[in-house]
Amino acid sequence: MNLKNDWWKILLGLFLTGVIVAAFLYAPRAKALGETTRILFFHVPCAWVATLAFLISATYSILYLRKNEVRYDAWAYSSAHIGLIFTILATVSGAIWAKEIWNAYWNWDPRQTSIFILLLIYAAYFALRSAVEDEQSRARLAAVYSIIAFVTVPFLMFIVPRIYESLHPDPLINAQGKIKMDVKMRQVFFASLFGFTVMFLWMLRLKVQILLMERKLESQIVTER
Amino acid sequence: MWNLVDKSIVVFRKDFQLEFRTRYALNAIAMFALTTLAVISFSIGPIQLDTNILAPLLWVILFFSAMSGLSHIFVREEEQQTADTLRLVLPPNAIWLGKWLFNVILLFGLEIIIVPVYFAMMNTQVENLSIFFPSLILGSLGLASVSTIIAAIISIASSRGALFAVLAFPIALPILFSAINSTRLSMEGAPFMDSWSDLQVLLSFTIIIITTSLLVFEFVWKR
Amino acid sequence: MRKLMTLAAIAADTTLTQMSQSMPEKKAGENIYIVLAVTVLIFGGVFFYLLYLDKKVNRLKKKVESREE
């Protein structure tokens, strides 16, 4: 580690450690949730990063189709890859929380349904990538697919809550009666959100670097032969 | 504009004549749908299902039948190596529209066969036809649009069959959700306005998918 | 960015609301070990992913260096 360039990595590590400590010691508990309130500070940022990664992936897909440069495909692919990891983390942590508080790991409430669909889209994206041999076509087809998925998502955000309300009239979704988040909770929550976002950007940059380096090496090997 | 329509009609007629000679696609998806229907009908026997199950079942049959046959339209071009000729002769938009029209007609043809049989075998009926027909027609248009663009994507991939359903399912979800809901309403005899928002979603989603497909299809199609 | 932040705050708010409203009568949600498990899971996942990336970068760097020699 080089202190001159890597100071922000150390700072990020310290910052996230601080967030964890604050989540356990500083933030108050919501009245009905008890201790498990603290899961919120890690679970919601995961879901946030998963969504952000999906948006970034779609944006770079559009850029790739317009500019036709390999590095845009590398960004789109890397973002989707990290997004998949955070989607899985958000799903699993949400399921554990749901088991504790709703007494079932899975009950298809709108949010669980949405993240499940996101998981399906990511899975389909990677299935498509692995099924196309030619590199250029692979990048192009994957970009097209992620754009089509991108226009589908707003519809799902509109439909899913409505359908599940009408099929299961349970009190999971409620427009009125929002409880205001406590000031201290809000502080910790936004700090965590910020930390996770920076961490995501770091991972994204690393992953892109790896992909581009691999590609360069491969092309070198090919030309030497 | 009319030029584009004319050219897509040319593509459609070419495909239609090819299909008419062999009847491959229609036979395949009609038999698939009938088999699925028979399996369902045998396995539930004499039990009378309620509309919460009947409506999804109909759309599950339609979805998987579409998945079994609608990719044929692009896969055939690759397999018989006619794609390159097509690329030279006609613009991408016209090709997509022509293929889309073919898939729409194919799906309607399937529904003319399968929907009456479904209601006869399931021993049930539609109470409100003014909801049922719009949702069936709009749902098929949407399903055909999604299938056509996904078929174009997978036509050069390996292991197409499985991939087609995997890719199409998340995209087709808005259609399935809304169509199932409005079909259920039609079976329960709800007033037309109840299904209004579902039909709106079906229509707008179909338009969005067609527009997006026309925008991105040239990238799928070029080599 | 401000808009996104508010959006995230609303999302968090509604999650809280949902969770607290659907609470059964019995005393659930007091298990601190569940919280610990979830924290370990998330940060463990993130940590191992970073470790995997780091390893890959190092391996590639070595490869590049050995080629340059």
Side-chain angles (χ1 to χ4, degrees):
Chain A
M1 266 220 178
N2 174 344
L3 208 65
K4 225 175 185 175
N5 294 324
D6 295 336
W7 58 270
W8 59 275
K9 292 178 192 170
I10 299 165
L11 208 66
L12 179 69
L14 288 176
F15 183 76
L16 279 174
T17 318
V19 167
I20 297 174
V21 172
F24 276 91
L25 300 178
Y26 174 70
R29 310 179 306 177
K31 43 181 166 344
L33 283 169
E35 291 293 341
T36 56
T37 318
R38 309 185 193 292
I39 294 176
L40 175 98
F41 303 120
F42 313 119
H43 168 73
V44 178
C46 275
W48 153 258
V49 169
T51 321
L52 185 70
F54 178 70
L55 293 180
I56 290 178
S57 182
T59 314
Y60 276 105
S61 298
I62 296 171
L63 270 176
Y64 176 76
L65 288 186
R66 295 191 69 156
K67 302 268 167 70
N68 203 17
E69 282 176 39
V70 177
R71 63 196 167 100
Y72 291 127
D73 179 55
W75 279 91
Y77 172 69
S78 309
S79 189
H81 195 262
I82 301 167
L84 177 67
I85 299 224
F86 277 96
T87 311
I88 292 169
L89 286 179
T91 315
V92 175
S93 63
I96 296 173
W97 196 2
K99 175 68 182 171
E100 178 65 16
I101 214 125
W102 296 339
N103 265 323
Y105 287 110
W106 203 261
N107 33 20
W108 293 114
D109 97 300
R111 245 161 253 276
Q112 282 178 325
T113 312
S114 312
I115 200 116
F116 182 71
I117 295 170
L118 195 61
L119 205 59
L120 281 180
I121 292 176
Y122 275 134
Y125 179 84
F126 288 109
L128 175 62
R129 285 196 80 102
S130 63
V132 184
E133 295 273 317
D134 176 56
E135 242 168 68
Q136 287 232 329
S137 331
R138 182 201 300 150
R140 237 180 15 239
L141 295 182
V144 167
Y145 186 72
S146 97
I147 289 169
I148 296 172
F150 179 66
V151 298
T152 313
V153 166
F155 282 90
L156 289 167
M157 277 158 69
F158 172 70
I159 295 168
V160 167
R162 247 168 19 100
I163 293 293
Y164 281 89
E165 207 172 30
S166 66
L167 286 184
H168 313 279
D170 47 17
L172 297 184
I173 10 173
N174 202 329
Q176 338 86 352
K178 260 179 209 158
I179 44 169
K180 275 247 185 285
M181 234 209 265
D182 185 278
V183 183
K184 283 181 176 175
M185 268 166 83
R186 211 166 267 233
Q187 286 165 354
V188 180
F189 174 71
F190 279 123
S192 178
L193 208 60
F194 174 75
F196 269 79
T197 310
V198 173
M199 191 166 64
F200 162 68
L201 293 175
W202 176 22
M203 285 174 166
L204 186 59
R205 215 190 61 171
L206 261 178
K207 180 85 185 156
V208 171
Q209 277 176 344
I210 291 172
L211 278 181
L212 292 179
M213 260 158 84
E214 271 175 347
R215 191 179 295 268
K216 212 170 151 192
L217 266 176
E218 267 167 34
S219 64
Q220 274 176 1
I221 292 168
V222 170
T223 47
E224 273 164 31
R225 275 185 200 150
Chain B
M1 178 66 204
W2 287 112
N3 194 14
L4 182 67
V5 175
D6 279 348
K7 282 178 176 166
S8 34
I9 298 284
V10 169
V11 176
F12 171 72
R13 277 182 52 192
K14 182 213 79 156
D15 279 322
F16 192 77
Q17 275 164 7
L18 267 179
E19 170 63 25
F20 203 72
R21 229 176 284 152
T22 58
R23 267 176 241 111
Y24 174 89
L26 186 62
N27 279 344
I29 69 171
M31 283 319 293
F32 186 92
L34 283 172
T35 313
T36 321
L37 183 53
V39 168
I40 291 170
S41 189
F42 280 135
S43 50
I44 47 182
I47 304 163
Q48 181 63 46
L49 300 176
D50 79 330
T51 53
N52 272 334
I53 299 174
L54 282 170
L57 267 185
L58 176 62
W59 281 97
V60 167
I61 294 174
L62 288 179
F63 174 75
F64 279 105
S65 311
M67 288 304 102
S68 75
L70 296 194
S71 67
H72 186 61
I73 192 92
F74 276 107
V75 173
R76 182 178 60 207
E77 302 285 357
E78 292 298 329
E79 276 174 355
Q80 300 177 348
Q81 285 155 3
T82 48
D84 289 328
T85 330
L86 209 56
R87 248 177 226 121
L88 286 176
V89 191
L90 289 162
N93 281 353
I95 293 169
W96 192 85
L97 278 175
K99 304 264 178 199
W100 173 76
L101 194 61
F102 178 82
N103 270 347
V104 169
I105 301 291
L106 191 63
L107 208 51
F108 282 159
L110 170 79
E111 279 158 6
I112 291 171
I113 303 168
I114 205 76
V115 172
V117 181
Y118 180 82
F119 283 103
M121 273 185 142
M122 291 296 156
N123 189 25
T124 177
Q125 58 193 354
V126 177
E127 301 287 338
N128 189 347
L129 288 172
S130 69
I131 299 178
F132 184 74
F133 282 117
S135 55
L136 192 64
I137 290 168
L138 288 175
S140 323
L141 284 176
L143 214 50
S145 321
V146 172
S147 310
T148 311
I149 186 68
I150 301 289
I153 290 177
I154 58 133
S155 64
I156 61 162
S158 52
S159 71
R160 293 163 189 147
L163 202 58
F164 190 37
V166 168
L167 293 190
F169 179 61
I171 312 296
L173 267 176
I175 298 167
L176 291 177
F177 276 137
S178 315
I180 286 171
N181 203 35
S182 57
T183 308
R184 184 176 58 82
L185 289 173
S186 79
M187 287 171 168
E188 287 167 358
F192 179 73
M193 282 321 279
D194 280 14
S195 71
W196 185 234
S197 59
D198 288 316
L199 296 179
Q200 271 179 319
V201 168
L202 282 177
L203 182 65
S204 49
F205 184 67
T206 305
I207 292 172
I208 293 271
I209 285 290
I210 292 175
T211 321
T212 318
S213 301
L214 287 175
L215 282 174
V216 296
F217 179 65
E218 59 174 306
F219 298 107
V220 182
W221 189 235
K222 77 174 178 202
R223 276 303 118 79
Chain C
M1 200 58 209
R2 256 197 96 78
K3 263 188 188 166
L4 285 179
M5 297 281 260
T6 12
L7 209 75
I10 290 167
D13 264 359
T14 35
T15 316
L16 269 181
T17 323
Q18 285 171 14
M19 295 234 159
S20 46
Q21 276 167 352
S22 56
M23 270 281 296
E25 283 306 303
K26 81 175 182 61
K27 196 109 179 110
E30 286 305 329
N31 196 343
I32 192 77
Y33 294 104
I34 295 289
V35 187
L36 207 63
V38 169
T39 315
V40 168
L41 172 89
I42 289 176
F43 282 94
V46 165
F47 182 74
F48 278 108
Y49 188 70
L50 273 173
L51 214 63
Y52 155 82
L53 286 181
D54 187 59
K55 243 185 185 166
K56 236 177 165 177
V57 165
N58 283 337
R59 212 172 338 136
L60 278 168
K61 269 184 185 156
K62 255 180 212 157
K63 250 189 195 166
V64 171
E65 273 164 21
S66 70
R67 294 189 69 78
E68 276 168 358
E69 273 161 16

